[in-house]
Amino acid sequence: EEMYPFLSTKAKDTYGKENSMERMQKIYNDLNISEVVVELNPLAEEELETAMEAGEAKIPFQVKMESMAGPISFNYAATLVKEGEEEEENWFVHWDPGFIFPEIRDGGEIRIHTTSPERGEILDRNKMPLALNDEIFEVGVIPGELTESSKKEIASLLGLTVESIDSDLSASWVQDDLFVPLKKIDDEGLVQELQALSGTSIRSILGRVYPAGEAASHLVGYLRQVRADDFEDFDESAYAADDMIGARGLERLYEKQLKGEAGVQIVVSNEGEEDVVLAEKPVKDGEDLILTLDINVQEKIYEAYDGDAGTTAAIHPKTGETIALISSPGFDPNEVMYGTDPDIWEKYEENEKQPLINRSIATFAPGSVIKPVTAAVGLANGSIDPKEGIEINGLTWTKGEEWGGYEVTRVSTSNGPVDLKDALVRSDNIYFAMKAIDMGADKFVKGMKQFGFGEDFPYEYPITTSTLSNSGKMDDEVLLANSSYGQGELEMSAIHLATTYTTFLNDGNMIKPTFFLDEETGQIWKESLISADQAKLIQDDLRAVVTDGTAKKADDADFPISGKTGTAELKLTTDETNGAVNSWFVAYPSKDQDILITMMMENTQDKESGYVVELVTELLEEIK
């Protein structure tokens, strides 16, 4: 607006304010013009004198700027004329559209051509797709061919309302012979039904498809249409109103890498002439994500849950590669994106097994599967002598009156002194409670922190931090005793628990878990947590848990298995007797040691004892 008064009379007569300054501003806004730099070539003294006498001057200048399609630069010249009388006399600019871009001086239309990037795919270690771009169907109608009865049938089949279809048909651009899109689907059977209805038109288009369905739903996520609140996290200029964006899982976490960048070309078009390209940014397709996961193992483990709730982490204990990461139950991302049930989210939310919760990143009380870690802490700080036996009488133990009558219980009595091996084999809560009290809270907490508690988990998929207590302190002896055998307030994720067990299979070094195939394998996260001899000792004890202890059902396998069982009682108070129970089993092939499975199943109080042990054993046999 401030520039317009400086235009010459001829320029103002030729180009009104709307066709000059406002047009320039609109073009600059549309093209995202920024960092405009104008450099003048000043007139020499002799040229200046001549211009003053003639009342006209021509001044060359150069312009550089950034646009949505990259840098634009040009050379032009400004003609200045002297106008006005006496005190009103001044110099004014013969402005023309070439000041915007020289290519539109004599007319022409500026156009923006965009090329959408192809979204990167999500693949497993064998390049099998977890999320890919594949053929789906866009269902629409041709208004001039649509009947009321057909409209009702289409609405019913697509899970839409007649009112919503009418709303789409009332758009200003709609004409009788134009295709009006209604919904995207991936059901070929439904396509055949729809094709039989008058007015229906179906196009084959490219869409996002999830071959693993529920088995990898929480891990991978899905896409939805972009919303205003997405721009709190993502650049609004990178999205059009109808673009899709990651809504959960990897699709959301790695949205920027997967999406890629649109190609943009800014051209000037004149009828009968070849387009002139002002700037061009090539399309950049999204990056593929290649995971360490094996989709076959992922699906086998998910199916083993048979709809029950729980989580599993399967890793290679030598390399740290994640083979499977399960949250059960899941949801079907294909149904979410292309399904025809209008109440799908309500059904998921009302499901008592809570399929929308991502259990693979959550933390839970581990129960007795933490005992080998407690043992390692005690071995490392010298408070546990593996050969020393402790006299423990009966099924309960309390330190004294200061515990207010609280007692630690164990599942079976012992025949003589209880040493570390016996305590692990029979899963003796009292032994570990006593040892934790002996070593004291400071040593226990220090040792557990060395195993990663209270520390961000070093993983490319965000996992909730494992915690020792709600307050972060361990200033209560009952809490200390309960924490030693995985109760109290101690919570950890399945993937963290699996990682702690790599310590026993790598001479006392805890391996850093990996998630993407291009990550370096075999990295050490925590070095020398225990000695190689102590690690071998715990390995031997974990084998004895299967041959002689609580995991005997795993000894029926065709090859030797080692592991540790655990049950976590979810009591609201210490006086509660019948709370829900979560069952754990951590296991690996004793000799090959090429996979380690940590499985947790919720609400197993009504299932047969050893149910999870049987599942993991069957899975190891099938996978091997």
Side-chain angles (χ1 to χ4, degrees):
E1 289 186 15
E2 294 178 10
M3 286 174 61
Y4 191 71
F6 291 98
L7 268 58
S8 68
T9 302
K10 181 179 178 181
K12 288 178 179 177
D13 290 343
T14 307
Y15 307 103
K17 191 173 183 180
E18 182 178 340
N19 290 325
S20 53
M21 300 302 102
E22 291 178 10
R23 183 187 180 199
M24 186 173 191
Q25 181 174 332
K26 182 181 186 307
I27 290 173
Y28 272 33
N29 287 340
D30 289 348
L31 303 184
N32 290 339
I33 300 299
S34 64
E35 300 179 39
V36 180
V37 177
V38 181
E39 295 180 351
L40 305 177
N41 292 340
L43 298 180
E45 188 173 340
E46 185 177 323
E47 293 174 310
L48 183 59
E49 290 177 1
T50 301
M52 295 293 287
E53 291 177 7
E56 183 173 309
K58 189 176 289 290
I59 303 178
F61 62 91
Q62 298 82 42
V63 179
K64 296 179 180 179
M65 62 183 71
E66 290 295 326
S67 76
M68 63 167 60
I72 298 175
S73 62
F74 61 84
N75 298 323
Y76 207 58
T79 299
L80 275 67
V81 293
K82 189 186 294 184
E83 293 183 355
E85 300 293 335
E86 298 179 355
E87 293 181 2
E88 299 295 322
E89 186 180 78
N90 206 337
W91 290 85
F92 297 86
V93 181
H94 266 332
W95 188 92
D96 62 60
F99 279 74
I100 305 176
F101 297 116
E103 290 81 1
I104 63 171
R105 174 178 180 172
D106 299 318
E109 188 175 339
I110 295 176
R111 293 178 177 169
I112 302 170
H113 301 314
T114 60
T115 306
S116 298
E118 186 171 304
R119 192 172 182 87
E121 297 187 332
I122 303 175
L123 311 170
D124 84 341
R125 63 187 301 110
N126 300 309
K127 304 296 179 66
M128 296 298 291
L130 301 174
L132 79 157
N133 308 310
D134 203 0
E135 181 187 57
I136 61 168
F137 306 98
E138 185 170 44
V139 180
V141 292
I142 308 298
E145 302 173 7
L146 187 64
T147 65
E148 283 300 315
S149 62
S150 180
K151 186 197 302 181
K152 291 178 182 178
E153 186 67 18
I154 292 169
S156 175
L157 289 172
L158 293 179
L160 303 174
T161 63
V162 171
E163 289 75 18
S164 69
I165 294 178
D166 286 337
S167 176
D168 290 333
L169 293 173
S170 66
S172 59
W173 60 269
V174 172
Q175 296 180 24
D176 281 351
D177 59 346
L178 293 181
F179 175 87
V180 179
L182 299 178
K183 186 172 179 59
K184 295 171 184 176
I185 62 174
D186 67 347
D187 185 337
E188 292 188 14
L190 182 57
V191 166
Q192 293 178 359
E193 289 187 67
L194 289 162
Q195 284 175 328
L197 301 173
S198 62
T200 305
S201 179
I202 298 176
R203 296 175 174 179
S204 177
I205 62 171
L206 202 63
R208 199 66 159 176
V209 177
Y210 302 94
E214 292 183 6
S217 55
H218 288 288
L219 189 69
V220 176
Y222 62 94
L223 303 182
R224 59 160 168 76
Q225 196 163 332
V226 69
R227 300 191 303 234
D229 57 357
D230 290 317
F231 304 135
E232 297 174 9
D233 301 314
F234 300 101
D235 180 7
E236 183 174 359
S237 67
Y239 294 86
D242 58 350
D243 276 354
M244 303 296 281
I245 193 170
R248 281 177 177 243
L250 293 170
E251 292 279 33
R252 182 72 175 187
L253 292 167
Y254 289 88
E255 164 67 18
K256 187 174 181 181
Q257 293 92 321
L258 289 165
K259 177 180 173 53
E261 296 178 16
V264 185
Q265 189 183 63
I266 301 171
V267 301
V268 175
S269 296
N270 276 292
E271 189 174 345
E273 298 180 14
E274 189 175 340
D275 287 353
V276 177
V277 178
L278 297 182
E280 184 173 18
K281 183 178 75 172
V283 65
K284 181 181 177 183
D285 289 335
E287 301 172 22
D288 289 344
L289 301 181
I290 306 177
L291 314 183
T292 59
L293 267 66
D294 185 322
I295 187 55
N296 293 320
V297 177
Q298 180 88 7
E299 289 177 335
K300 282 183 175 70
I301 296 175
Y302 182 81
E303 289 165 5
Y305 276 94
D306 194 26
D308 285 327
T311 181
T312 293
I315 67 173
H316 193 304
K318 300 292 186 178
T319 67
E321 293 168 291
T322 306
I323 307 302
L325 199 61
I326 310 294
S327 177
S328 177
F331 57 91
D332 187 347
N334 299 301
E335 174 68 19
V336 167
M337 290 185 66
Y338 309 119
T340 57
D341 185 348
D343 302 320
I344 185 66
W345 284 116
E346 185 178 344
K347 290 177 181 177
Y348 281 139
E349 288 167 358
E350 291 176 353
N351 188 323
E352 63 179 8
K353 292 185 179 179
Q354 299 178 296
L356 297 180
I357 292 179
N358 186 356
R359 292 169 169 87
S360 61
I361 67 172
T363 58
F364 304 87
S368 293
V369 287
I370 201 65
K371 288 173 181 173
V373 179
T374 301
V377 170
L379 290 170
N381 64 33
S383 61
I384 290 180
D385 178 349
K387 297 179 181 179
E388 178 191 8
I390 303 175
E391 290 289 346
I392 303 175
N393 299 313
L395 294 174
T396 63
W397 172 76
T398 181
K399 188 181 176 186
E401 293 180 1
E402 64 265 36
W403 279 17
Y406 180 75
E407 295 180 325
V408 176
T409 62
R410 58 178 179 169
V411 294
S412 64
T413 57
S414 51
N415 300 317
V418 179
D419 61 14
L420 177 58
K421 179 178 181 179
D422 187 50
L424 285 171
V425 167
R426 293 188 308 99
S427 202
D428 194 322
N429 290 348
I430 295 177
Y431 175 91
F432 286 98
M434 286 179 167
K435 287 299 180 181
I437 298 301
D438 286 345
M439 76 174 76
D442 290 344
K443 287 184 178 180
F444 177 77
V445 169
K446 180 181 178 182
M448 297 300 277
K449 284 184 175 180
Q450 289 173 337
F451 272 87
F453 279 83
E455 182 177 337
D456 288 343
F457 193 63
Y459 203 52
E460 294 297 329
Y461 190 77
I463 302 293
T464 304
T465 300
S466 299
T467 55
L468 290 168
S469 69
N470 297 337
S471 66
K473 300 177 181 179
M474 191 68 64
D475 50 9
D476 178 273
E477 273 197 342
V478 171
L479 182 62
L480 173 60
N482 287 335
S483 300
S484 70
Y485 51 87
Q487 292 283 173
E489 297 170 357
L490 187 146
E491 289 200 350
M492 68 191 310
S493 62
I495 184 68
H496 184 191
L497 179 60
T499 303
T500 63
Y501 273 63
T502 67
T503 308
F504 315 134
L505 308 185
N506 291 282
D507 296 329
N509 299 316
M510 184 157 63
I511 298 297
K512 178 184 179 296
T514 61
F515 187 69
F516 292 116
L517 199 62
D518 61 0
E519 293 181 71
E520 180 186 348
T521 59
Q523 298 181 68
I524 295 175
W525 178 25
K526 304 285 186 177
E527 189 174 5
S528 301
L529 292 173
I530 52 178
S531 70
D533 288 343
Q534 291 167 339
K536 179 64 168 59
L537 177 74
I538 293 180
Q539 270 197 65
D540 292 342
D541 292 349
L542 292 175
R543 175 60 185 150
V545 170
V546 174
T547 58
D548 306 316
T550 57
K552 283 184 178 179
K553 288 187 177 182
D555 207 28
D556 295 333
D558 295 334
F559 51 87
I561 291 175
S562 301
K564 182 72 186 79
T565 59
T567 56
E569 298 179 9
L570 310 181
K571 299 178 180 179
L572 298 177
T573 68
T574 55
D575 297 328
E576 189 177 339
T577 56
N578 294 313
V581 170
N582 291 349
S583 292
W584 293 81
F585 188 41
V586 183
Y588 58 90
S590 307
K591 293 181 179 178
D592 292 342
Q593 299 183 356
D594 54 359
I595 186 169
L596 184 150
I597 295 179
T598 296
M599 174 178 273
M600 186 277 286
M601 183 173 287
E602 296 179 14
N603 296 308
T604 55
Q605 59 273 11
D606 297 325
K607 293 188 182 293
E608 181 185 351
S609 176
Y611 179 72
V612 175
V613 173
E614 288 186 12
L615 284 185
V616 174
T617 302
E618 290 170 5
L619 285 166
L620 284 172
E621 288 186 301
E622 191 173 353
I623 292 166
K624 293 291 288 180

